[in-house]
Amino acid sequence: MPRNFRKIIPVLFGLLFVGSVLAQTVSFPNETMLSRIERIAEIAKENEKSITYETRFLQGISANSFKTTSESIETWLRLSLENTPLTYRKINAARFIIVRRIDEKPTDGNLAGKITDTFGTPLAGATVWVQSIQKGTITGLNGDYALSLSAGSFTVEVRFLGYEPIQVNSIEISTKQTTRLDVALKETNVSLNEIVITKTLPENSLIGALNAQRNTPYVSSVLSVQEIERSASNTVRNALQLIPGVTSSENGDIIIRGTGGRWNEIALNGIPMPNYDPSYKIFSFDLLPISLVDNIRLLKSSTPDISTSFGSAMIDIVTKDIPEHNFVQLKTEIQLNTQSSFQNQRGRKRGKWDFMGLDDGSREIPQNGAQVPAEHFRIYDRKTPPSQHHSLTIGRTHTLANTNNRFGLLFSISCQNTQQQSVIEHTQRGRWNSIGQYTSNMSDSRNAGFTYGYNTVSGGMFNAGWQFGKNRISLRNILARSFENNLTEISQHLEDIPDDDKNLSRQFFNYPTFSNILQNKLDGKHTIGNNSVQWNVSHTLMKRERKDAAFSEMYKPLRDDSLLYFLHANPQLKEIYPASSGQYANREQNFRMGISAMFPLNRTNRFTFGYDGSYKRIRYEYSELMLRYRDSSMSEIYQTFEQYDFNKTVVEHFPFAMVEHRWNEKFRFVWGARANYESIVKKWDFMPTVNLTFTPAKALNIKMGYRRLVIRPQLADYIPYPVYDTQLLGTSVNRPIRSSLLQSVDFQVEKQMGAFDFISFGLFYRYIKHPIERTTYEYRQDERMYVLQNSNKAINYGFEANVRKQLDFVADADFMRNIQLITGFTLTRSSVEGRRMAMKDKDAFIETESTQKRPLSGQMPYLLNIGFNYSDKNINANILFKRSGRQLFLLGENAHTHEYRAPFNSLEASIGYRFPKSGILLKLGVSNLLNAHEIFYTNTPDDYVRDEYNFPTDNLLPRKTENYDKGRDPIVHKIRGGHTVTFSVSGTF
């Protein structure tokens, strides 16, 4: 064989191999179905085959991309028509006909969303049309719509007179699921029949939550129910922490932009909520089952038509009135905690209906003290069952043929029982003084124990909505009940008892607490020509009762300053020890009404004015019966405290006016003012607001805002009686305080880069005159008191950034396209001019004013969160890491007595799978993966410069900071909660 021929053979084989590979792979891109079939028909014709079709059937349908090694025309048709309302019939080996599917089920899935203009104003009467099946609907008064479709891929066209139509390709509709499509239309001066429909790629369709966030004239964030469902969150509090820049503290307070407490407002369907606890400006999110929530809005600035005053942010929890489709949803959830489930659970005697959060009457204070035997205060041992949550939600909607008139009902009931233990590795809180100070060294004496948590939340919701013509009326009703029955047990060494484990003193805290929330809201919106009128009336009731509240001390002498004591059944306790049973109740009601009207001044300007008013009343009462047990197990009356009954009412008036200007869809200027009158202070305050939005490019917004507002004391701040704080183990006392005056400036740049990609960063500045803060006072050596006070002024400023980005920039693959990075960062700083204790001479202290480079009470300097979400048709997986900086948890009399929470890390993950045919969703989540400790500490006095009396000043020594120094700084409280594993099953039918 010639030498050259031998060289040619490998080359020929290589060419044959390459040609074979190329011939085996056929690929089609994403394209319209008409283009796809036309291409396949041309190839079929070359092979003496034919494809028959009607063009009108193919219009408006998208064909997905695919790759195949088959050269069969039939295989190409099958793959192209898969998951569409079309199929084919094979007449013979050479002829195919494309037809409609005869087994099409038009109610398999749903398309729903909201149509607005580029500034976020709802467009009522816009047309949403699916050309391929000649089916569509028009939007209602709020710009919302719902359309039932079969499972498959569709092209949707959105039109509104005077606006450029948009055509969105490849909208995927899944069985028994709702696909969200929100679209913002751009105004045009061209008549409708002269417009060429613009084609928008699938990734440019707008997602509802990001669209709402971008289109508001103020700075805001929106958390959708879809994002809540695919996370590991099982409570509203946990769900809130999915929003960048939001976290919570030990007592349930929500920290936003680094600040918490009274600087943040909580609203339910736009109505501010009364105080849950008279000691704090906080709200118990456990009162709201997660299944009742449609979305959560976080407002960081405002416009005059928003009827609440908040210093940092407002959380608005929104429930739905008209569902998109008929459904029944069942959900059950089980939680296991590594240090709680099936372990020993201690507690006092329980009522028959505690598991349901209902009161069986067994905790009422008896009329006769002799009816309370010592056995009444006994503590029992039980096993901790898994925590569980069950809910049922039913939605019904009806749309009248050929109109946009819709009527809907939404009903939901839910019950959640959580039993988990927190390990108290050390605490310095309470009415006693330990030996020395604990700094986490092994030789230090500790006061350790447990909090045996028991919490039940049950609730229901009934909402109804009616949309007819240019009118919409909604009725929302929520009733929820929470029962908390935690027992805290602490073992301690006392100064006057030898340091011996056999001589441990013990404290027991048990405050069974029933809480109720009831809200009824009726609101309406009406359009008359180009004008619109909105109105609402609401009633909110918050009721909290602590029944048979008990605190006991074993081996410790009685102290007469305590609010309540009782005898724990123990043979070593002798005759002089008294016992008590206390009952405390606060009830706050709020009646509100509001009305507003909007009048267009011309095409680009409109004027809105209105009025909001409220009537609030609060009632607080408590009574205690102190008993003494001698040698008998039955009691005799030792002392009876007088029953206090406190009542206070307030009337508020909030008239407002607002003007909105628009220029060339580039500028949006909203300005106006709200006046405020309160009957307690009997004073009018003027609160102007200015917001400017500049849109230099598509989906790019630059927002600037200014606000001046007054933050009044809450009704609970006027309660003159001491209230015992079961979290901080000390007494809260109110004293006269004045309103805070706040001026704020916000600046934010935000860019939406696609359906899921979003980036924003901003700056904020707050000047607060007379900020209200809670200060810790050492009432006596072993008794803490928490007192409200006005500092002189404070400056608070910071930076925040938020990024959501799909990872398709790493690699152009479907898998990476399904992964989204979610990250946020907040940086906050403050300077407070307040008061501190200084030594006047060697024997006396005086309160002096000073400028302190410290945070506001409850503030933390930074918050970082990084998360990844993977999402495809059937699988959702999440992992979220969050780190919060040290928090000024409690303000002390001096810098070295400020109590901080050390920097805290948290990590949670979840994965969910939805069965495509049944719609059943399985979800597994794990929280507190790091099993991190929460450490509360004070700085050692040795870190501060001393004055002439050798007393620590506010100035730190060189190279010293307020950061936690392990082994050096005294620990006030240290706890850990264990890992929690959650498994849930839900189905929508």
Side-chain angles (χ1 to χ4, degrees):
M1 183 179 293
R3 184 179 300 175
N4 290 338
F5 186 72
R6 292 179 181 177
K7 293 181 179 179
I8 292 173
I9 289 176
V11 176
L12 291 174
F13 274 108
L15 292 173
L16 288 172
F17 175 75
V18 172
S20 147
V21 171
L22 292 174
Q24 289 175 358
T25 303
V26 178
S27 64
F28 287 90
N30 280 321
E31 56 188 328
T32 64
M33 186 62 71
L34 182 59
S35 298
R36 172 72 56 83
I37 298 303
E38 287 176 345
R39 289 179 57 194
I40 297 177
E42 287 293 327
I43 299 172
K45 186 176 181 180
E46 294 174 0
N47 292 276
E48 297 181 349
K49 297 181 180 181
S50 67
I51 301 175
T52 303
Y53 59 90
E54 289 190 45
T55 302
R56 63 187 180 93
F57 285 167
L58 275 58
Q59 290 177 344
I61 299 180
S62 301
N64 292 325
S65 63
F66 69 84
K67 295 180 180 180
T68 180
T69 58
S70 174
E71 296 181 358
S72 168
I73 297 297
E74 184 176 357
T75 300
W76 297 354
L77 284 177
R78 179 177 55 80
L79 293 175
S80 297
L81 300 177
E82 199 172 53
N83 295 324
T84 72
L86 304 176
T87 186
Y88 69 93
R89 291 179 183 173
K90 187 175 181 181
I91 305 302
N92 53 48
R95 187 183 177 194
F96 303 90
I97 299 177
I98 296 177
V99 296
R100 291 274 188 92
R101 292 182 185 271
I102 60 174
D103 59 345
E104 179 182 343
K105 297 180 180 179
T107 58
D108 274 354
N110 291 275
L111 179 69
K114 191 171 187 176
I115 309 302
T116 67
D117 64 11
T118 54
F119 290 106
T121 302
L123 298 179
T127 301
V128 181
W129 185 255
V130 182
Q131 177 69 26
S132 62
I133 58 175
Q134 296 292 297
K135 186 176 182 179
T137 186
I138 58 177
T139 59
L141 201 60
N142 290 336
D144 55 340
Y145 70 93
L147 184 64
S148 61
L149 297 171
S150 62
S153 181
F154 297 90
T155 295
V156 178
E157 181 183 310
V158 182
R159 283 176 172 264
F160 190 70
L161 186 63
Y163 290 79
E164 292 183 4
I166 286 182
Q167 181 173 290
V168 186
N169 299 325
S170 300
I171 301 299
E172 295 289 339
I173 303 297
S174 301
T175 303
K176 297 182 179 180
Q177 295 187 43
T178 297
T179 299
R180 183 87 186 184
L181 176 64
D182 295 320
V183 174
L185 297 181
K186 184 179 180 181
E187 278 192 274
T188 179
N189 293 322
V190 185
S191 61
L192 187 62
N193 57 6
E194 297 177 358
I195 298 173
V196 177
I197 297 175
T198 58
K199 295 184 178 180
T200 306
L201 296 176
E203 58 266 27
N204 290 330
S205 61
L206 301 179
I207 302 302
L210 295 180
N211 188 38
Q213 175 176 327
R214 186 173 64 87
N215 288 330
T216 57
Y218 42 79
V219 179
S220 66
S221 296
V222 179
L223 183 67
S224 67
V225 67
Q226 291 87 355
E227 190 169 358
I228 296 173
E229 288 177 347
R230 70 188 188 187
S231 72
S233 304
N234 63 318
T235 65
V236 176
R237 181 186 291 109
N238 292 338
L240 280 170
Q241 298 185 64
L242 297 173
I243 304 175
V246 178
T247 188
S248 64
S249 66
E250 183 201 18
N251 64 359
D253 190 14
I254 297 296
I255 310 297
I256 306 173
R257 283 183 162 183
T259 55
R262 64 185 63 245
W263 306 113
N264 300 321
E265 187 73 69
I266 310 299
L268 184 59
N269 294 316
I271 304 299
M273 302 305 299
N275 284 3
Y276 167 72
D277 190 323
S279 304
Y280 298 98
K281 180 62 178 75
I282 63 175
F283 173 73
S284 176
F285 293 97
D286 291 334
L287 284 173
L288 290 178
I290 193 72
S291 61
L292 306 186
V293 177
D294 178 60
N295 66 78
I296 300 174
R297 298 192 306 156
L298 177 64
L299 281 64
K300 301 175 184 178
S301 62
S302 65
T303 48
D305 58 329
I306 296 175
S307 61
T308 60
S309 297
F310 53 88
S312 179
M314 183 182 81
I315 297 169
D316 187 13
I317 305 168
V318 182
T319 60
K320 189 176 296 184
D321 56 350
I322 303 178
E324 290 89 1
H325 59 96
N326 295 333
F327 70 93
V328 175
Q329 183 187 72
L330 295 170
K331 181 179 180 180
T332 185
E333 180 179 275
I334 300 296
Q335 275 189 359
L336 297 174
N337 183 273
T338 53
Q339 68 184 29
S340 303
S341 300
F342 310 113
Q343 303 299 314
N344 190 44
Q345 174 93 345
R346 288 168 64 76
R348 294 172 63 209
K349 184 178 180 180
R350 293 178 180 169
K352 292 183 296 183
W353 306 109
D354 286 1
F355 187 82
M356 300 296 295
L358 303 177
D359 185 8
D360 65 353
S362 62
R363 293 183 174 92
E364 301 292 340
I365 295 180
Q367 298 298 319
N368 186 350
Q371 297 176 353
V372 186
E375 181 70 14
H376 176 76
F377 305 105
R378 179 181 173 186
I379 294 176
Y380 298 85
D381 291 314
R382 306 174 178 89
K383 292 296 181 184
T384 308
S387 301
Q388 50 191 297
H389 176 207
H390 311 282
S391 66
L392 166 67
T393 306
I394 301 174
R396 287 292 180 266
T397 182
H398 178 67
T399 302
L400 298 181
N402 302 319
T403 72
N404 66 333
N405 294 352
R406 299 170 60 205
F407 179 78
L409 297 172
L410 195 66
F411 170 75
S412 179
I413 55 174
S414 174
C415 182
Q416 175 179 311
N417 180 263
T418 304
Q419 299 185 46
Q420 291 186 5
Q421 303 173 16
S422 297
V423 176
I424 303 174
E425 297 196 357
H426 172 75
T427 187
Q428 200 76 14
R429 297 172 181 165
R431 298 184 176 93
W432 41 269
N433 216 15
S434 66
I435 301 174
Q437 291 180 322
Y438 176 67
T439 58
S440 194
N441 294 316
M442 295 300 295
S443 58
D444 291 342
S445 175
R446 294 191 303 159
N447 308 306
F450 297 88
T451 293
Y452 300 96
Y454 186 98
N455 182 266
T456 292
V457 180
S458 56
M461 177 180 70
F462 178 76
N463 289 0
W466 184 25
Q467 182 174 285
F468 56 101
K470 295 184 177 181
N471 307 277
R472 186 183 182 109
I473 297 177
S474 300
L475 174 66
R476 291 178 171 90
N477 303 276
I478 287 183
L479 172 64
R481 183 173 179 86
S482 171
F483 173 60
E484 182 182 280
N485 192 23
N486 299 341
L487 172 72
T488 298
E489 176 182 357
I490 301 172
S491 301
Q492 61 208 283
H493 293 285
L494 299 180
E495 295 178 341
D496 53 352
I497 297 178
D499 188 2
D500 188 336
D501 288 342
K502 295 181 180 180
N503 292 323
L504 286 175
S505 180
R506 289 182 173 85
Q507 290 181 331
F508 299 87
F509 304 87
N510 179 231
Y511 284 60
T513 304
F514 294 92
S515 303
N516 294 279
I517 176 175
L518 170 66
Q519 186 187 84
N520 316 102
K521 182 185 180 184
L522 179 66
D523 60 63
K525 184 177 181 180
H526 313 274
T527 299
I528 307 170
N530 293 325
N531 308 317
S532 67
V533 176
Q534 297 186 63
W535 56 270
N536 69 84
V537 291
S538 66
H539 163 254
T540 305
L541 169 66
M542 184 76 72
K543 184 179 180 182
R544 190 184 193 215
E545 293 180 293
R546 290 175 172 174
K547 294 189 173 183
D548 197 15
F551 164 73
S552 69
E553 295 174 307
M554 295 169 57
Y555 304 111
K556 190 169 184 225
L558 170 68
R559 302 184 186 277
D560 55 9
D561 62 298
S562 300
L563 290 178
L564 42 96
Y565 295 92
F566 69 81
L567 171 67
H568 176 66
N570 191 291
Q572 299 180 9
L573 293 174
K574 300 300 180 182
E575 57 187 52
I576 65 169
Y577 291 86
S580 75
S581 180
Q583 182 165 325
Y584 314 85
N586 61 287
R587 174 190 176 98
E588 185 168 345
Q589 277 185 293
N590 185 351
F591 299 89
R592 297 180 68 95
M593 63 85 64
I595 186 169
S596 65
M598 187 276 291
F599 301 93
L601 302 177
N602 50 45
R603 182 181 175 86
T604 59
N605 303 288
R606 62 182 184 178
F607 173 66
T608 305
F609 71 96
Y611 167 83
D612 291 291
S614 70
Y615 170 79
K616 302 177 183 177
R617 64 186 182 193
I618 189 172
R619 179 177 180 179
Y620 178 77
E621 58 184 5
Y622 79 92
S623 60
E624 297 174 30
L625 183 65
M626 297 194 69
L627 312 170
R628 174 158 51 194
Y629 297 83
R630 297 185 181 274
D631 294 329
S632 171
S633 62
M634 301 305 292
S635 62
E636 63 182 58
I637 296 178
Y638 175 71
Q639 186 177 358
T640 302
F641 280 84
E642 181 180 353
Q643 182 172 358
Y644 294 97
D645 191 350
F646 172 79
N647 289 275
K648 200 170 189 67
T649 61
V650 60
V651 176
E652 294 177 307
H653 302 287
F654 296 98
F656 73 91
M658 181 176 72
V659 181
E660 179 178 347
H661 308 277
R662 302 181 184 182
W663 295 281
N664 301 322
E665 296 189 354
K666 297 287 186 181
F667 290 94
R668 183 183 190 183
F669 184 54
V670 181
W671 61 279
R674 173 179 290 274
N676 173 219
Y677 175 83
E678 187 187 73
S679 59
I680 295 179
V681 297
K682 297 181 179 180
K683 177 185 176 183
W684 281 94
D685 286 289
F686 182 71
M687 299 181 289
T689 303
V690 177
N691 290 277
L692 173 64
T693 302
F694 173 50
T695 308
K698 183 178 180 180
L700 173 64
N701 282 343
I702 300 175
K703 295 181 178 180
M704 292 166 282
Y706 166 80
R707 293 185 301 153
R708 180 186 186 273
L709 66 150
V710 175
I711 300 177
R712 306 283 192 193
Q714 301 295 312
L715 274 179
D717 295 335
Y718 294 98
I719 297 176
Y721 313 126
V723 178
Y724 191 71
D725 190 305
T726 57
Q727 294 278 350
L728 303 178
L729 306 185
T731 304
S732 294
V733 179
N734 293 332
R735 64 180 182 183
I737 53 175
R738 59 192 304 180
S739 301
S740 299
L741 175 64
L742 182 142
Q743 299 187 69
S744 68
V745 177
D746 289 271
F747 172 82
Q748 180 163 299
V749 178
E750 52 191 23
K751 169 67 174 177
Q752 186 160 358
M753 299 172 290
F756 298 97
D757 296 346
F758 186 87
I759 183 172
S760 69
F761 65 88
L763 304 171
F764 56 90
Y765 174 87
R766 306 278 187 270
Y767 172 80
I768 310 173
K769 187 176 181 181
H770 306 305
I772 303 172
E773 299 184 280
R774 189 169 293 279
T775 302
T776 304
Y777 283 93
E778 296 293 336
Y779 176 69
R780 51 199 300 167
Q781 190 176 18
D782 60 350
E783 177 71 14
R784 279 186 166 194
M785 297 189 70
Y786 307 102
V787 182
L788 283 180
Q789 70 170 28
N790 285 108
S791 297
N792 293 343
K793 65 180 181 180
I795 296 174
N796 171 248
Y797 55 93
F799 167 83
E800 59 185 352
N802 177 20
V803 176
R804 295 168 176 259
K805 184 70 180 74
Q806 290 178 306
L807 299 188
D808 51 356
F809 67 93
V810 177
D812 188 14
D814 289 341
F815 176 78
M816 299 303 293
R817 194 175 295 111
N818 290 336
I819 300 177
Q820 185 183 33
L821 166 68
I822 304 173
T823 182
F825 178 71
T826 303
L827 180 70
T828 310
R829 292 292 183 268
S830 290
S831 177
V832 181
E833 184 176 299
R835 300 170 181 172
R836 65 179 297 273
M837 298 301 294
M839 186 169 283
K840 181 179 180 182
D841 51 46
K842 293 184 179 180
D843 300 319
F845 289 87
I846 60 172
E847 193 174 62
T848 63
E849 296 183 357
S850 68
T851 300
Q852 307 155 37
K853 298 294 182 180
R854 65 162 176 86
L856 285 165
S857 179
Q859 183 184 320
M860 57 181 58
Y862 68 87
L863 179 65
L864 170 68
N865 64 281
I866 301 176
F868 292 91
N869 168 254
Y870 174 83
S871 180
D872 63 16
K873 289 184 179 180
N874 301 318
I875 297 177
N876 270 304
N878 293 270
I879 185 167
L880 176 65
F881 170 80
K882 183 167 288 189
R883 177 174 175 83
S884 56
R886 70 172 186 274
Q887 179 195 19
L888 181 52
F889 186 69
L890 285 172
L891 187 63
E893 295 178 89
N894 302 95
H896 71 279
T897 61
H898 295 334
E899 184 177 327
Y900 294 90
R901 187 181 80 162
F904 184 76
N905 298 327
S906 67
L907 181 66
E908 66 177 41
S910 67
I911 184 169
Y913 179 79
R914 185 182 299 274
F915 292 91
K917 292 185 178 180
S918 65
I920 293 177
L921 173 64
L922 302 181
K923 187 165 69 174
L924 177 67
V926 184
S927 58
N928 195 21
L929 277 165
L930 303 177
N931 198 19
H933 292 73
E934 285 194 85
I935 299 175
F936 300 82
Y937 68 96
T938 59
N939 290 117
T940 175
D942 296 335
D943 288 347
Y944 293 85
V945 176
R946 304 270 178 164
D947 62 14
E948 58 182 313
Y949 301 105
N950 199 35
F951 187 77
T953 65
D954 290 342
N955 301 317
L956 287 162
L957 291 168
R959 295 184 296 278
K960 297 295 182 182
T961 68
E962 290 89 357
N963 292 330
Y964 174 58
D965 294 327
K966 185 177 180 180
R968 178 177 175 85
D969 289 332
I971 292 178
V972 178
H973 197 62
K974 183 178 180 181
I975 58 174
R976 57 181 170 86
H979 311 290
T980 300
V981 180
T982 304
F983 178 75
S984 67
V985 181
S986 62
T988 303
F989 311 98

